[in-house]
Amino acid sequence: MMKVFLAHTPEMFAGYYGDRALAALREHAEVVRNPGDVVLSGAALADAARGCQAIVADRATPGTAQTFAAAPDLVAFLRVAVDISTIDVPAASAAGVLVTRATPGFIDSVTEVGIGFMVDLARDLSGYAAAYRRGEEPQGRMGLQLSAATLGIVGYGRIGRRLAEVALALGMRVLVSDPHAVVDDPRITQLDFAALLAGSDIVVCLAISSPETRDLFDAAAFARMKRGARFINLSRGELVDEGALEAALDSGHLAGAAMDVGRAQDQRPSAFLARRPDVLAAPHIAGQTPEAMEHQAMDTVRQVASLARGELPDNAVNATAAHRLARIGIRAA
């Protein structure tokens, strides 16, 4: 039977793996758990996983060159997330280690957080609630009616498509900007980035993270947005120049912002933005529902099951370079 190291700390296990997936994993492999409550990396991760053929890694556990160099028994590094930006794939390939990722199981859960952010930014419900909790009697202010507003979605992947569907159901006008996608819904207008920014009342960042999209939302981008517009980031923290966002809020050019991601540890919002009264911040929990969590955890269970059967698993990133697969009877693709 294969031996697998599950890298999750107790906190990450509760939020991103769960007992049902663990029980299913144990049907296919002997499972060794992270012995402590510290995120392991580098040689420490390799040492903890010694003797294991696979590491099942949560989103906080990196796959570094040091780990791959110090783990002679390792055949596969399985990420329980779509994002593999903290895995050194070239180093894994050089060592002959397979890297896999999970499929998006959080489309609905992230979309729901996006809708919640939109409603709150439009009507300041959390602001009123906070004032009442402080014992105040807040005065009502005119809000933004979503059915009369324009939503700009930057990034038309699976979450972007789902968000567009819900926004259309709310009666919103929907604009999309994505140079890699074709919009085939006649109710949606596809524009370039600058035109979308200028035409939207609410802009949602759902673009992929890449060297080309780093600081996509910079001072120039925020300046192109309508005065009084709202901005939401549901993608990755590195897509936003946080100083530029702060300046746009300070000047009043943006009426508010919301974020489930940022440049703090584990992609959490940075404190200097999160504490502002014109910002709604959540600690990277948009995908944290039992359904979303179990979807991605079960992806890794199926991947381990494939490895145990001597088959190449789904969602492999570097199969052609993973020569260590031969140790368990699998020919690299």
Side-chain angles (χ1 to χ4, degrees), residues 41-60:
S41 64
L45 176 58
D47 186 61
R50 194 162 302 280
C52 295
Q53 289 79 46
I55 292 174
V56 175
D58 59 278
R59 71 186 192 195

Side-chain angles (χ1 to χ4, degrees), residues 15-321:
Y16 296 97
Y17 212 78
D19 291 328
R20 293 206 326 170
L22 176 59
L25 185 63
R26 283 178 168 154
E27 293 179 7
H28 305 286
E30 176 186 348
V31 180
V32 178
R33 298 281 303 276
N34 184 338
D37 57 4
V38 175
V39 174
L40 298 172
S41 64
L45 176 58
D47 186 61
R50 194 162 302 280
C52 295
Q53 289 79 46
I55 292 174
V56 175
D58 59 278
R59 71 186 192 195
T61 300
T64 67
Q66 190 178 15
T67 294
F68 299 125
D73 303 310
L74 189 64
V75 172
F77 192 96
L78 318 178
R79 170 55 59 78
V80 196
V82 176
D83 178 39
I84 57 170
S85 61
T86 60
I87 300 176
D88 190 335
V89 176
S93 297
V97 175
L98 180 72
V99 174
T100 71
R101 69 203 318 166
T103 56
F106 43 74
I107 295 168
D108 285 340
S109 62
V110 174
T111 298
E112 289 165 8
V113 168
I115 294 295
F117 277 158
M118 288 164 56
V119 172
D120 206 332
L121 286 174
R123 305 303 296 272
D124 194 25
L125 301 180
S126 60
Y128 293 135
Y132 277 119
R133 289 171 187 151
R134 293 192 299 266
E136 301 171 8
E137 292 287 338
Q139 295 299 309
R141 298 179 300 278
M142 198 66 67
L144 174 70
Q145 184 169 307
L146 293 184
S147 65
T150 298
L151 173 65
I153 301 173
V154 180
Y156 196 56
R158 280 178 275 196
I159 298 172
R161 290 174 183 271
R162 181 62 176 145
L163 181 61
E165 291 174 358
V166 178
L168 288 167
L170 291 173
M172 300 186 77
R173 178 178 178 234
V174 177
L175 311 178
V176 164
S177 178
D178 189 331
H180 308 293
V182 175
V183 177
D184 51 12
D185 189 326
R187 299 171 297 172
I188 297 172
T189 302
Q190 187 167 13
L191 300 172
D192 64 29
F193 183 55
L196 178 143
L197 295 177
S200 302
D201 299 300
I202 301 173
V203 174
V204 179
C205 175
L206 286 168
I208 61 170
S209 178
S210 68
E212 293 73 29
T213 58
R214 188 175 184 88
D215 291 329
L216 175 66
F217 286 90
D218 56 9
F222 291 125
R224 290 188 181 101
M225 291 175 63
K226 292 181 180 181
R227 185 168 186 84
R230 283 82 164 168
F231 172 71
I232 298 171
N233 188 10
L234 292 170
S235 180
R236 304 291 292 177
E238 59 268 20
L239 274 69
V240 177
D241 179 335
E242 294 185 333
L245 176 56
E246 180 183 39
L249 291 166
D250 283 343
S251 70
H253 185 73
L254 294 185
M259 61 201 69
D260 184 55
V261 292
R263 296 200 179 196
Q265 185 177 3
D266 192 26
Q267 276 288 318
R268 296 187 179 194
S270 296
F272 76 94
L273 288 173
R275 62 174 170 250
R276 295 179 61 105
D278 51 3
V279 168
L280 300 171
H284 200 179
I285 51 76
Q288 198 168 339
T289 64
E291 294 79 8
M293 172 196 75
E294 192 164 278
H295 175 104
Q296 295 193 310
M298 292 305 295
D299 275 350
T300 64
V301 171
R302 286 186 285 272
Q303 289 166 351
V304 168
S306 293
L307 291 169
R309 293 193 302 267
E311 301 171 0
L312 184 69
D314 292 336
N315 303 305
V317 174
N318 63 337
T320 57

